[in-house]
Amino acid sequence: MRKFIYTLCLMGVTSLGFLSCIGDSDNTVDIYDEACISSVSITAMNKLEHTLGEDWQDATYKVKVTSFPTLTIDQKNYKIYNTDSLPFESVMDRILLSIEKTAYSGAIVIRSIDGEDKWKVYSSTDSIDFSKPREFRVLNTDGSKYRSYQVNLVAHQVPTNKIRWKEMPKESYPAAKKGSVDWEKAVKDAGLAKFIGEGIFEAYAFRADGQIMVSTDNGITWKEDQMDEDKSLAPFQEFRFLSIPFAVDADADYQLLIGKSGTEEHRVTDAMTVWRKIAEYDDSHRPSKWVLMPLEEYNRYYLPLNEKYSLLSFNNEILAVSNKGTRVTRDGGLTWKMAKRYELPYDDLEEIVATTDDEDYIWIKELESGSVWRGTYVKE
């Protein structure tokens, strides 16, 4: 370092001498002690992605990262770091930085990664190895003083923007939540066929002919609920129900009912029927009704009939989970697309059921083996 500073000083003195030669005797050059990094940002880096090669072996390739976290400069403790982690499997040994210094600062140098007293002048076009913290120094204008910064960049150590599973004891699968009403008994006592589910203020059941019935008094009385299509198209078989708060109205629930209807009049014959209801409880709203979600022949993103689904609300999304994978709807049930971020623990699971708990975990149980997994969604 002393040799480096000496060289800089020599260059500075030479430059001053040169300036004094070409100018008149009144020209002076001021030497400033200020040395400070004013801003720093990542400009380029890669991360690893995985796929299966032709031989069905794991193949790895690099892709460009397009969004970078903000880097924080702690001018009191002379540290530079990222509060939001870089993506999982970031290529940490080849990162480009853009560094700005104050107007009167001199050169910026980087200590060798092995910690030896070897230094390299920073360049915005040279990649830097951040597999471990690095020391940067900003020299003042004549190289006689410097300010040292510790730069530490960290990346996620587990996969992000996807679900992470952990196998759990078989007895840990959450028990079904029981409310204050025995709905199965209430439905039977009312002479109805099947209990569907309940929202905040309403409960639903099927009459034997497929008509949806509604109760607002804990199952004491029931009446026909409004349906915009013939009741023969109701999903009377293999149905699943979900009720969640309606995002755009605090006084409403958004409810989905999927299943197989008692007729073959599907527009796409191998598709599950999907009904939805926006249950509005404010007195100023019109009475709510069940609406059959249209399914056109060109729509390839539907729920196939031959799968046993669990209908869940998880990670602010609506999921239909089966042993074939997880489908997500972003339009309230009209289309359902497979979501790789919610891939199952294994590809060859038998029939499964899924649920969520109050701690933001998703659970899966394989019915035949009883094996249980708990999943958590890791965000970037």
Side-chain angles (χ1 to χ4, degrees):
M1 181 61 194
R2 292 177 180 174
K3 292 181 180 179
F4 181 83
I5 294 178
Y6 175 80
T7 302
L8 285 180
C9 291
L10 182 60
M11 291 173 61
V13 170
T14 304
S15 298
L16 292 176
F18 179 74
L19 288 172
S20 65
C21 289
I22 63 174
D24 57 39
S25 59
D26 291 333
N27 286 341
T28 60
V29 176
D30 294 326
I31 303 299
Y32 294 92
D33 289 337
E34 180 182 356
C36 180
I37 291 177
S38 59
S39 71
V40 57
S41 60
I42 299 173
T43 57
M45 63 176 295
N46 296 321
K47 66 177 181 178
L48 301 181
E49 293 286 355
H50 300 272
T51 188
L52 290 177
E54 294 181 359
D55 56 356
W56 295 98
Q57 298 299 312
D58 183 56
T60 304
Y61 59 97
K62 295 179 181 180
V63 296
K64 290 183 178 180
V65 177
T66 58
S67 178
F68 310 111
T70 300
L71 301 186
T72 298
I73 304 176
D74 181 352
Q75 298 288 10
K76 181 179 180 180
N77 298 301
Y78 307 127
K79 294 181 178 180
I80 299 174
Y81 54 91
N82 55 313
T83 54
D84 294 327
S85 295
L86 296 170
F88 176 66
E89 292 196 334
S90 290
V91 180
M92 298 299 292
D93 60 353
R94 295 184 64 83
I95 296 178
L96 292 182
L97 291 186
S98 173
I99 301 177
E100 294 184 11
K101 56 190 179 180
T102 51
Y104 302 114
S105 298
I108 300 174
V109 295
I110 311 170
R111 184 190 285 270
S112 171
I113 194 168
D114 58 15
E116 295 185 9
D117 198 24
K118 299 177 182 178
W119 299 83
K120 178 182 178 181
V121 176
Y122 154 79
S123 169
S124 62
T125 60
D126 291 340
S127 61
I128 304 170
D129 185 348
F130 281 105
S131 57
K132 61 173 63 176
R134 303 298 301 273
E135 181 182 354
F136 285 56
R137 287 183 180 179
V138 188
L139 307 174
N140 67 348
T141 49
D142 69 345
S144 60
K145 295 182 180 180
Y146 63 83
R147 178 166 291 163
S148 178
Y149 290 86
Q150 291 294 320
V151 183
N152 186 25
L153 303 184
V154 295
H156 283 288
Q157 298 303 304
V158 295
T160 56
N161 286 340
K162 67 183 302 183
I163 200 163
R164 191 157 53 100
W165 295 101
K166 179 181 180 181
E167 191 162 6
M168 304 293 288
K170 293 182 179 181
E171 64 274 11
S172 63
Y173 189 80
K177 297 178 182 178
K178 293 184 178 181
S180 58
V181 179
D182 185 344
W183 287 109
E184 297 298 336
K185 183 178 184 302
V187 168
K188 183 178 180 181
D189 291 345
L192 302 178
K194 300 176 182 178
F195 177 60
I196 297 174
E198 62 177 319
I200 295 178
F201 297 111
E202 295 181 347
Y204 308 98
F206 279 122
R207 201 166 60 192
D209 62 354
Q211 172 65 46
I212 298 177
M213 308 294 289
V214 59
S215 174
T216 58
D217 55 9
N218 292 327
I220 298 174
T221 61
W222 297 83
K223 66 178 182 179
E224 291 187 0
D225 211 358
Q226 295 190 52
M227 303 171 67
D228 78 334
E229 291 286 350
D230 189 270
K231 57 181 177 290
S232 65
L233 295 176
F236 190 72
Q237 305 173 42
E238 300 176 12
F239 60 85
R240 296 292 183 269
F241 171 82
L242 177 68
S243 179
I244 58 175
F246 192 31
V248 299
D249 188 345
D251 295 318
D253 290 334
Y254 192 87
Q255 296 166 335
L256 276 179
L257 181 58
I258 68 171
K260 183 178 180 180
S261 73
T263 177
E264 295 300 324
E265 295 180 20
H266 302 293
R267 294 181 184 177
V268 178
T269 57
D270 60 344
M272 281 281 193
T273 299
V274 180
W275 290 68
R276 65 108 169 122
K277 177 182 179 180
I278 301 174
E280 299 174 301
Y281 306 119
D282 190 296
D283 292 338
S284 63
H285 290 121
R286 295 179 180 178
S288 308
K289 64 180 177 180
W290 288 95
V291 176
L292 176 63
M293 302 291 279
L295 186 56
E296 306 296 342
E297 291 185 0
Y298 60 80
N299 181 5
R300 297 180 293 117
Y301 302 109
Y302 55 81
L303 292 174
L305 281 175
N306 59 349
E307 298 181 30
K308 308 291 186 181
Y309 299 100
S310 294
L311 197 57
L312 307 175
S313 174
F314 179 71
N315 192 35
N316 295 318
E317 294 187 292
I318 297 175
L319 316 182
V321 184
S322 77
N323 66 318
K324 303 298 183 182
T326 301
R327 292 176 172 83
V328 175
T329 180
R330 292 188 172 181
D331 50 21
L334 188 62
T335 58
W336 302 80
K337 296 183 179 181
M338 294 293 287
K340 187 177 180 180
R341 61 187 178 279
Y342 295 122
E343 62 185 358
L344 302 177
Y346 299 101
D347 293 333
D348 56 351
L349 292 176
E350 299 297 330
E351 185 178 344
I352 61 174
V353 291
T355 188
T356 58
D357 62 20
D358 294 332
E359 297 180 354
D360 295 326
Y361 288 111
I362 184 172
W363 294 77
I364 283 178
K365 180 168 70 173
E366 193 174 33
L367 295 182
E368 183 175 349
S369 68
S371 298
V372 170
W373 293 268
R374 186 184 70 182
T376 183
Y377 191 77
V378 182
K379 296 182 180 180
E380 189 168 290

